[in-house]
Amino acid sequence: MKALCWEGVNRLAVERVPDPRIQNAHDVIVKVRYTTSCGSDLHLLDGYIPAMEAGDVIGHEFMGEVVEVGPEVTKHSVGDRVVVVSFIGCGSCWYCDNDLWSLCDNTNTNPGITQGLWGQDPGGIFGYSHAMGGFMGSHAEYVRVPFADHGAFTVPEEVDDLTALFASDGLPTGWMGAHLGGVGPGDTVAVWGAGGVGQMAAHAAMLLGAEQVVVIDRLPERLGMVQQHVGAETIDYTATDVGAELRERTGGRGPDVCIEAVGQESATNGPEYLYDKVKQQLRLENDRPIAMREAVMACRKGGSVFALGVFAGLVDKFPLGALMNKGLTLRGAQQHGQRYLPMLLDRLARGEISTSHLATHVMALDEGPRGYDMFKNKEDGCVRAVFQP
Amino acid sequence: MSRAVIDPATLAGRAIDTVLGLVGRTDRPAGEDDTGSGRWLKVTVYRAPDDVRTAVDGTGPLSRMRHEIEVTVRPAPGDKGTELAARPTAPDGGSVDLRRAIRGALREQKSVLECGEVVQPSRPGSSHPGPAGQVLRAVTSRAWGEGRL
């Protein structure tokens, strides 16, 4: 089959690779209809997630049709139209049973790597390095889905394919940031990053009852999307002092909940960017935590900061003093999509949330390398490059 | 003079072991050589103690090394299931390879008990992993039997 493969830092290629097959009794094989680029893929592309082999199939956010079913699968049949959560959960361990699905104990096939990095191993994920399980990704004609009874969800008839696509990752990730960040009625929420995940986090905050939601980014087309499709306020960080702006917009208090939806390649206009970029290039720090620092500093006393963007390792100049002295709660997670998908698919079916506007560029899988170029360089207003195998 | 052909993955594996040895990363407890006893290797299984005990006494992965190890089973606090522990019976705490095998067997037993199988990474892997990929394969070949449980 055809697949989009990682070939090295900033090198992708469409190649012929072996078709996936049922390897475990709880697997299904899905024929991919849509699969999308995600901001976290850029960390693979840029070489900040080193556990990749040339020839690995990338992609983790997808939907399609079940074409083969393992002998122990009970909830799916051939022909089901499904959206698949990007993190793989076994459904049987303590973490899955406690709705912490991305922390599954049984789906990372190489646990020693992330245990060395982080002390414990989270669950596996499609197309996201051998440190995260070594599962081939979704930018392909077919993909193997382990533990499909738990990770694949039948798409309601009312939800079209492109809308369902973002229920795989962007939507549940954003929802989780708002939910586990503690957003409640009357809250003021600030979201750093107006990409797919940031937009979904902002929308989730509004649906969870926030009275004021502010999204921070620099790209006018993304900020325009936030205003049009989410209905939140925006701040262009290139035009103002974000901390001062947030203070004044919140009566001097600061946001109750701050959601960082940028991750390890955060940017800013100031010298801070140069400092972090140099340190990152010299491997003196893994991640540029610029937006995270800003979130911690901006958050109101006693507020909550949620790390939703992907970070991989160590950061420098983290304002721990602010965290401690302001009494903040800091939390983070990869998405626990299985927890939210039934509710989110109902909301999508009722039209309460829109997602398909994120698919600004839909193209054939053959155009994958070009799509990632556009996505990475934010060309032509690209929010997500979506591929049809 | 004969020339030995060395597989890059094997070479990388030796390098990894050397580096871990140099930086003191080992799964042996401090003072083990003095006490002569190995640290228990443990995993928490989200199942009842009787289920775990039955599996361990049967034909589970730990049974393959039953003559080299001792095993204990006890309830985990907070309704988190059962703590399954194993360690070599050898006075010197057993070889690194044995302890690695015990870790792997504990993981396998946990996975089989909790979800009925051990999930496999995608096979076949890349047909052209390159030199860096070969090094990575050396790491991943050990990753199941290393680290915490």
Side-chain angles (χ1 to χ4, degrees), chain B residues 41-45 82-85 106-107 109-110 149:
Chain B
L41 303 175
K42 297 186 183 180
V43 65
T44 301
V45 185
T82 301
E83 292 181 1
L84 170 62
L106 286 168
R107 290 189 204 285
Q109 184 66 79
K110 170 184 167 69
L149 287 173

Side-chain angles (χ1 to χ4, degrees), chain A residues 38 40 59-62 83-89 101-102 107 123-128 132 135-138 145-146 151-153 165-170 172-173 334-338 341:
Chain A
C38 170
S40 59
H60 58 265
E61 189 164 4
F62 64 103
V83 58
V84 179
V85 176
S86 58
F87 259 83
I88 303 166
W101 291 80
S102 69
T107 55
I125 182 172
F126 296 98
Y128 211 77
M132 301 299 280
F135 298 101
M136 291 300 104
S138 60
V145 176
F153 291 80
L165 167 64
F166 296 100
S168 171
D169 189 330
T173 301
Q334 295 275 13
Q335 67 140 333
H336 307 310
Q338 291 87 341
L341 253 286

Side-chain angles (χ1 to χ4, degrees), chain A residues 26 54 92 97 105-106 115, chain B residues 46 110 114 117 122 126 148:
Chain A
H26 298 92
S92 308
D97 199 39
D105 259 349
N106 293 311
Q115 286 177 355
Chain B
Y46 195 44
K110 170 184 167 69
E114 289 183 345
E117 61 181 341
S122 298
S126 168
R148 298 172 177 82

Side-chain angles (χ1 to χ4, degrees), chain A residues 92-335:
Chain A
S92 308
C93 68
W94 185 88
Y95 291 98
C96 291
D97 199 39
N98 282 271
D99 265 342
L100 301 166
W101 291 80
S102 69
L103 305 178
C104 176
D105 259 349
N106 293 311
T107 55
N108 190 335
T109 67
N110 296 314
I113 299 177
T114 44
Q115 286 177 355
L117 284 171
W118 304 325
Q120 311 286 343
D121 56 307
I125 182 172
F126 296 98
Y128 211 77
S129 88
H130 294 266
M132 301 299 280
F135 298 101
M136 291 300 104
S138 60
H139 292 345
E141 293 177 86
Y142 298 94
V143 61
R144 166 187 165 236
V145 176
F147 297 112
D149 278 342
H150 302 289
F153 291 80
T154 301
V155 179
E157 278 183 18
E158 302 89 331
V159 179
D160 63 73
D161 287 356
L162 212 46
T163 297
L165 167 64
F166 296 100
S168 171
D169 189 330
L171 174 57
T173 301
W175 190 279
M176 181 191 69
H179 178 232
L180 298 187
V183 173
D187 277 348
T188 295
V189 179
V191 179
W192 277 256
V197 170
Q199 288 190 36
M200 294 301 108
H203 203 154
M206 297 178 82
L207 290 169
L208 287 167
E211 279 191 17
Q212 183 184 25
V213 178
V214 185
V215 179
I216 300 133
D217 205 303
R218 68 183 164 87
L219 299 167
E221 63 275 11
R222 295 190 180 197
L223 295 173
M225 258 186 192
V226 168
Q227 292 162 357
Q228 183 185 347
H229 295 282
V230 179
E233 299 175 31
T234 59
I235 293 175
D236 175 354
Y237 71 73
T238 65
T240 188
D241 177 329
V242 173
E245 188 79 22
L246 284 172
R247 269 197 308 279
E248 303 315 324
R249 289 199 195 186
T250 59
R253 302 181 306 276
D256 301 292
V257 179
C258 293
I259 300 172
E260 200 276 6
V262 181
Q264 68 177 145
E265 295 185 69
S266 183
T268 186
N269 282 341
E272 193 179 356
Y273 173 74
L274 183 63
Y275 170 85
D276 280 305
K277 182 80 178 176
V278 169
K279 290 205 76 166
Q280 194 179 38
Q281 292 299 314
L282 294 173
R283 300 298 189 261
L284 296 173
E285 68 174 342
N286 302 86
D287 309 336
R288 302 196 301 264
I290 298 165
M292 177 54 79
R293 291 188 194 113
E294 200 165 74
V296 170
M297 296 302 289
C299 194
R300 76 154 164 82
K301 293 181 285 186
S304 166
V305 177
F306 199 91
L308 200 54
V310 170
F311 290 90
L314 305 175
V315 301
D316 193 12
K317 304 291 185 288
F318 182 81
L320 192 57
L323 183 84
M324 185 270 164
N325 287 289
K326 293 205 297 180
L328 303 182
T329 298
L330 174 64
R331 192 169 183 181
Q334 295 275 13
Q335 67 140 333

